[in-house]
Amino acid sequence: MEVIMDFLDLFAGVGGFRLGMEQANHKCVGYVEWDESARRSYEAIHDTEGEWSWHDISTIDYRDIPKAECWTFGFPCQDISLGGKGKGFKGDRSSLFFAVTKRLRQIKEWDSERMPTYLFIENVKNFLSVNNGWDFLIAQTELGEIGYDCEYEILSTRDFQLPQSRERVYIVGHLRERSGPKIFPIERNITTTPIPRTSGFQIINNTKKGFDFAGEEDSINYAFASSNTRRGRVGRGTFQTLDTQCKQAVLDNGEWRQITPKEAWRIQGFPDWAFDKAAAVNTDRQLYKQAGNGVSINVIYEIAKRLV
């Protein structure tokens, strides 16, 4: 099918943004990811031959960045999450947002025709309220000064056929006088084609109590039950540490067990073929971490198909 637009994949992780964008017929022209384990998964999953790539967002020469109509990025949330002690943009990780805007400012001054038409951003819901909302205001002001009008919406994965309640804020920046129509609000209970999940399992309740996904503030619904089980409950745990809290996650034929790395990827919307390629080059510990740090592909796709 005809490519709609080119995009640049920043803070790429294992490529969740990329999968959702490609499902909407957009084409990746380059990617940036500093974590070596995530890069191994990314390059195993995606056909990156001939694409521009860089490791550290803060050391990119803006003149080397390929032209793209859209930049996608879920910049680090560690200082924004409730567990991040409210550092926000004062923290070393989340302040990397400004490494992106610095390059945008440089490109605007160098050759404004190379500015991306869209910025597609994802982060934790607490981004709206950290430091009493000042950081979110600073981000909007920063993007506004560069030339982007922003719209945003909080979306939960449970409304996009994924078995978890993972709320995130999604932001679309429109370059003034060039960008297309508004993206938000997006209607809930989206009826997209389901991406394969755990065979024989079903969601059995919709509670907000569940896993602490990747150590962040939101609660995830991992209420699974096997097809011959009438009742189930939600366990608690964390993908990153795999500690003893993680043992009651799935009711499988009457037995509680920890979810597998493949199930962790499935509830983020990753197809099995992508997981299998990543599993061939990474440990289970890294695969759990990568699922927790990833974006939810079904939500990315629903936004991406509206970018024209």
Side-chain angles (χ1 to χ4, degrees):
M1 297 182 67
E2 183 178 356
V3 173
I4 297 175
M5 70 173 66
D6 293 337
F7 69 94
L8 185 66
D9 196 6
L10 306 178
F11 303 103
V14 299
F17 258 113
R18 179 170 182 152
L19 285 174
M21 291 286 285
E22 288 180 341
Q23 287 176 13
N25 299 324
H26 304 304
K27 179 183 178 181
C28 186
V29 296
Y31 58 99
V32 179
E33 176 53 48
W34 73 274
D35 184 89
E36 291 299 328
S37 297
R39 283 184 70 91
R40 282 198 300 271
S41 290
Y42 190 102
E43 291 168 358
I45 294 169
H46 307 284
D47 180 9
T48 62
E49 185 176 356
E51 291 181 1
W52 176 85
S53 180
W54 200 258
H55 284 72
D56 187 347
I57 188 76
S58 64
T59 64
I60 295 175
D61 186 327
Y62 65 93
R63 292 163 294 191
D64 293 336
I65 299 174
K67 184 178 180 181
E69 284 296 296
C70 180
W71 288 12
T72 66
F73 58 101
F75 64 97
C77 66
Q78 286 86 343
D79 303 312
I80 294 173
S81 300
L82 290 179
K85 300 181 180 179
K87 291 181 181 179
F89 283 150
K90 295 180 181 178
D92 293 336
R93 299 297 304 279
S94 296
S95 60
L96 287 172
F97 169 85
F98 297 103
V100 178
T101 60
K102 177 181 178 180
R103 273 73 195 171
L104 288 169
R105 289 180 182 275
Q106 290 171 327
I107 291 172
K108 182 178 181 179
E109 183 175 349
W110 174 51
D111 182 358
S112 62
E113 292 300 313
R114 297 179 65 87
M115 292 283 284
T117 301
Y118 293 103
L119 303 177
F120 183 5
I121 308 167
E122 180 261 14
N123 214 296
V124 295
K125 183 174 68 171
N126 201 51
F127 186 29
L128 299 179
S129 54
V130 66
N131 292 328
N132 296 316
W134 281 106
D135 285 9
F136 190 64
L137 178 60
I138 289 170
Q140 292 182 85
T141 302
E142 173 81 353
L143 294 175
E145 290 177 351
I146 297 170
Y148 290 92
D149 295 321
C150 294
E151 56 172 326
Y152 64 92
E153 185 173 12
I154 295 173
L155 298 171
S156 174
T157 53
R158 65 183 174 183
D159 295 323
F160 297 84
Q161 295 191 339
L162 290 174
Q164 57 169 315
S165 296
R166 180 180 173 93
E167 290 185 313
R168 291 292 183 270
V169 58
Y170 296 87
I171 305 165
V172 174
H174 299 259
L175 188 62
R176 295 188 192 110
E177 299 180 0
R178 194 203 294 177
S179 194
K182 288 187 64 176
I183 306 299
F184 305 121
I186 291 180
E187 183 181 354
R188 303 304 196 270
N189 297 316
I190 304 298
T191 56
T192 57
T193 301
I195 296 174
R197 296 198 291 268
T198 307
S199 177
F201 286 83
Q202 61 183 353
I203 306 171
I204 54 175
N205 70 25
N206 207 19
T207 179
K208 288 189 176 181
K209 294 182 179 179
F211 274 95
D212 178 14
F213 198 101
E216 297 182 7
E217 79 279 11
D218 57 304
S219 294
I220 307 305
N221 181 2
Y222 293 150
F224 289 93
S226 59
S227 57
N228 61 354
T229 302
R230 293 185 179 181
R231 291 187 179 183
R233 63 188 176 88
V234 178
R236 292 191 62 83
T238 165
F239 281 143
Q240 287 188 324
T241 61
L242 296 181
D243 58 21
T244 56
Q245 291 180 328
C246 206
K247 292 182 178 178
Q248 293 185 336
V250 180
L251 187 61
D252 187 357
N253 293 321
E255 298 291 333
W256 288 104
R257 65 167 174 80
Q258 178 180 310
I259 62 172
T260 67
K262 179 173 282 190
E263 288 165 349
W265 280 55
R266 282 170 170 169
I267 62 175
Q268 284 285 65
F270 284 92
D272 284 355
W273 64 262
F275 171 82
D276 292 341
K277 290 185 176 183
V281 296
N282 264 308
T283 64
D284 283 357
R285 183 177 181 84
Q286 289 298 330
L287 294 168
Y288 279 113
K289 179 181 178 181
Q290 289 163 14
N293 288 337
V295 295
S296 302
I297 295 171
N298 294 28
V299 187
I300 297 299
Y301 166 72
E302 285 297 333
I303 297 171
K305 71 182 186 181
R306 292 166 170 79
L307 298 175
V308 296

